[in-house]
Amino acid sequence: MPEPASTFDPRGLLAALDRHRVAYIVVGAFARVVQGADELTRGIDIVPSTRAENLRRLDAALAELDAHRPDGSERALAAAAELDPVVELTTDRGQLKIIPEPVGTRGYEDLRRAATREHIGHGLRPAIASLGDLSRMLAALGREDDMPKLLDLRRLAELEISHGIEI
């Protein structure tokens, strides 16, 4: 079994998706970090639009990233994302999970309504799931280990509200 990528380059990974004009929303730990959570991660989870043309663009980006399954088998075609609940891939820029319909959501269109474009440097502004949607996904998983993360997200949401624009 091949070793995971030795370095995690989130900007490089997201830049490849952007170069191929892939429509996606970042979810999971990386999205929580961008939103202000204190976590560590070595990968990115995305929810792509499952439209055929977008999946073709995703496949081209995966080829550029030399994506393959962790067991070393040839990378899955993006179309597999329509069938598998989670497609786990290793790329030359870190781990990538493709999650067409995260638990607690109805997928890309559902998450898109509240997602925001966040600056992460180098001219990149990926769509990041909202704090509310990230909380909803964690809560729907129902894992005891996620409770501290869920509480963190709720504190971040409270901070965001308390620092809102006053009229």
Side-chain angles (χ1 to χ4, degrees):
M1 176 169 10
E3 292 296 313
S6 58
T7 58
F8 175 46
D9 178 10
R11 289 184 186 118
L13 202 155
L14 294 171
L17 295 173
D18 285 356
R19 272 193 300 280
H20 291 276
R21 298 176 310 136
V22 176
Y24 64 92
I25 310 277
V26 179
V27 297
F30 189 78
R32 293 190 300 269
V33 168
V34 171
Q35 292 285 16
D38 187 20
E39 289 185 54
L40 295 176
T41 185
R42 298 207 39 86
I44 293 180
D45 302 353
I46 65 166
V47 178
S49 165
T50 55
R51 292 184 176 177
E53 181 56 34
N54 192 62
L55 292 177
R56 282 191 287 279
R57 291 191 299 261
L58 176 57
D59 195 44
L62 294 176
E64 177 185 329
L65 291 164
D66 190 28
H68 54 277
R69 294 208 183 245
D71 65 4
S73 63
E74 197 165 311
R75 77 180 154 77
L77 294 174
E82 292 182 309
L83 306 174
D84 297 341
V86 177
V87 178
E88 293 187 39
L89 300 168
T90 300
T91 77
D92 59 3
R93 307 279 179 171
Q95 305 299 312
L96 175 65
K97 287 184 187 172
I98 301 169
I99 310 167
E101 193 171 307
V103 175
T105 76
R106 291 181 312 280
Y108 177 82
E109 292 300 326
D110 180 23
L111 295 171
R112 187 175 69 123
R113 66 178 168 64
T116 57
R117 295 231 172 241
E118 301 294 335
H119 293 280
I120 62 168
H122 300 275
L124 293 170
R125 294 185 63 215
I128 306 291
S130 70
L131 286 171
D133 286 338
L134 291 168
S135 296
R136 178 169 50 129
M137 287 180 266
L138 269 180
L141 288 171
R143 299 182 302 211
E144 190 65 34
D145 294 354
D146 290 335
M147 286 309 293
K149 295 173 191 171
L150 189 54
L151 292 173
D152 252 3
L153 288 177
R154 291 197 173 142
R155 278 191 285 272
L156 287 169
E158 289 170 9
L159 280 172
E160 193 173 90
I161 290 168
S162 71
H163 289 107
I165 298 172
E166 294 183 28
I167 298 177

